[in-house]
Amino acid sequence: MDEGGIADIVRPVEWRISGGLVPYPDALATMEARVEAIIAGRAPELVWLLEHPPLYTAGTSANPADLLAPDRFPVYAARRGGEYTYHGPGQRVAYAMLDLNRRGRDVRAFVWRLEEWVIRALASFTVTGERRPGRVGVWVVRPDRPPRPDGSAAEDKIAAIGVRLRRWASFHGVAINVEPDLSHFGGIVPCGIRGHGVTSLVDLGLPVTLPDLDLALAAAFAEVFGEG
């Protein structure tokens, strides 16, 4: 099958939106169970949209020195790729449990599609999300701020991405800042990247709600992955 082909996907993707704040251990347990069911052919793929209470997660490459305030919020080992990330109210977490046996066994292409999913959803609100080599996540240029010391434009991260695979079924996914408390990112070095800020849709002056973003994510998912 050519890269990104979906001809052999036999069941539609299930979408789930959880109200309230989902405890992180509960989310991990749900993802574990669902991925096992996907691998066994007992359940369809799942995109799960939710919020977490304030917490930090540590990916498999997390540097302990990047946890600046270890007592501020609970810290969980996420068992995904990447470093430290913050989750909390006002941030839309989108866990994508997809079967890459059917979507193409290419990790880089999968991460690219996750980025593209976010970028296209942000474009619905006239936000230009961009990739940066060597910097995880989706970024926005901030012309309203002074340039960096090297003369380059100021940039803030608006979305984080982290994935894990088991027998080519994916865990975790993306986290997009809609209206979180941005000061909470101060307890970590987000994704191990220093010298850049963090922003949100509301911080950019856009009165976007979580349901607004959910609609944009559903439309962009169909464009990028072909199912939804």
Side-chain angles (χ1 to χ4, degrees), residues 92-177:
R92 176 53 87 209
V93 176
Y95 288 134
M97 285 151 271
L98 304 178
D99 186 357
L100 302 194
N101 287 296
R102 293 174 174 162
R103 294 181 177 274
R105 294 185 178 187
D106 187 328
V107 177
R108 289 186 180 181
F110 177 57
V111 172
W112 187 93
R113 290 188 189 100
L114 290 176
E115 294 170 339
E116 188 69 12
W117 181 26
V118 173
I119 289 168
R120 294 195 187 198
L122 293 176
S124 299
F125 310 106
T126 70
V127 173
T128 302
E130 300 178 357
R131 300 174 179 86
R132 289 292 181 266
R135 279 197 262 138
V136 179
V138 176
W139 299 79
V140 294
V141 175
R142 300 299 303 266
D144 55 322
R145 293 185 180 172
R148 303 181 66 230
D150 63 3
S152 62
E155 296 178 335
D156 288 344
K157 187 169 69 172
I158 195 168
I161 295 174
V163 299
R164 179 186 175 199
L165 299 178
R166 176 182 298 160
R167 294 171 59 187
W168 294 103
S170 66
F171 292 69
H172 303 280
V174 305
I176 305 170
N177 298 329

Side-chain angles (χ1 to χ4, degrees), residues 6-77:
I6 59 167
D8 58 349
I9 294 175
V10 296
R11 287 191 281 186
V13 178
E14 177 186 348
W15 283 70
R16 181 185 303 172
I17 302 175
S18 291
L21 303 178
V22 178
Y24 195 73
D26 292 358
L28 286 179
T30 298
M31 283 193 286
E32 289 275 352
R34 186 53 168 254
V35 163
E36 288 298 330
I38 290 170
I39 291 169
R42 299 192 308 270
E45 299 169 301
L46 172 65
V47 174
W48 185 17
L49 307 179
L50 54 83
E51 294 175 276
H52 286 304
L55 58 91
Y56 298 128
T57 66
T60 55
S61 301
N63 180 349
D66 289 341
L67 181 59
L68 306 178
D71 299 323
R72 189 169 186 177
F73 298 123
V75 181
Y76 295 96

Side-chain angles (χ1 to χ4, degrees), residues 90-91 122 127 140 142 145 156-159 176-182 185 197-206 208:
Q91 181 190 73
L122 293 176
V127 173
V140 294
R142 300 299 303 266
R145 293 185 180 172
D156 288 344
K157 187 169 69 172
I158 195 168
I176 305 170
N177 298 329
V178 178
E179 193 178 8
D181 186 335
L182 295 178
F185 286 90
V198 179
T199 191
S200 68
L201 288 165
V202 171
D203 182 55
L204 293 173
L206 300 167
V208 177

